[in-house]
Amino acid sequence: MTVILASQSPRRQELLRWLIDDFSVQPADIDEEVKDQYAPIDYVMEMARQKAKVVADIHSEALVIASDTVVVLGEQILGKPKSREEAFGMLNSMSGGSHLVYTSVVIRKGDQVEEKLTSAKVTFYLLTEEEINRYLDSDDYKDKAGAYGIQNGAGVFVEKIEGDYYSIVGFPVGAVNQMLKNFDY
């Protein structure tokens, strides 16, 4: 049985290796621009569904695993920053407060589809401009929802987490493990 991770994320690949030794990687080419018509939860679920469908349409016999993560402040989705300045603004807006991180997972094999949404509430300490700029100097913010990777240098920003840590990392490995029990692969 072929297993395909529909993601180019090194974090997702590393965490999936905890569960499956042999899989291939095929990123799904979809439009991930945040659209106003979606509530954050609907958006994150739809992105994972689209990723899974695009890859499953090409590899109909494979088990396809797709995931998407969003950072939400209030009702606003903080996507991947397009510039250092945008990343600074995102981190500064989360400073001293709480935000939500949602990660969706969709697993498909033929007509069988399993979906799961996980979440975590993250509270940041009050951050100084110097702390934010030091983190941005590492370039770790690039290609990360909400402009940070908790598993790297931004971990020092975190005062408290309520929920699934791996949801924040971008791949809720425990939930995926449970979902995989419903598939023959």
Side-chain angles (χ1 to χ4, degrees), residues 112-124:
Q112 184 182 358
V113 179
E114 297 278 332
E115 298 182 346
K116 178 80 174 171
L117 178 72
T118 63
S119 65
K121 181 179 177 182
V122 181
T123 302
F124 274 7

Side-chain angles (χ1 to χ4, degrees), residues 80-90 136 141-142 147:
K80 297 174 183 176
K82 294 176 179 63
S83 66
R84 180 185 173 111
E85 294 73 25
E86 186 178 13
F88 184 93
M90 287 180 185
L136 295 176
Y141 69 92
K142 293 180 177 177

Side-chain angles (χ1 to χ4, degrees), residues 8-11 79-81 139-148:
Q8 62 188 0
S9 163
R11 296 170 311 284
K80 297 174 183 176
D139 284 345
D140 185 57
Y141 69 92
K142 293 180 177 177
D143 201 39
K144 294 203 173 56
Y148 76 95

Side-chain angles (χ1 to χ4, degrees), residues 6 16-17 20 109-110 116 119 132 151 157:
L16 182 56
R17 280 191 193 91
I20 300 172
K109 181 182 174 194
K116 178 80 174 171
S119 65
I132 295 172
Q151 70 278 15
F157 298 165

Side-chain angles (χ1 to χ4, degrees), residues 85-117:
E85 294 73 25
E86 186 178 13
F88 184 93
M90 287 180 185
L91 293 170
N92 194 48
S93 70
M94 292 183 283
S95 173
S98 298
H99 60 275
L100 296 171
V101 180
Y102 294 107
T103 294
S104 58
V105 178
V106 174
I107 302 178
R108 292 181 66 134
K109 181 182 174 194
D111 292 335
Q112 184 182 358
V113 179
E114 297 278 332
E115 298 182 346
K116 178 80 174 171
L117 178 72

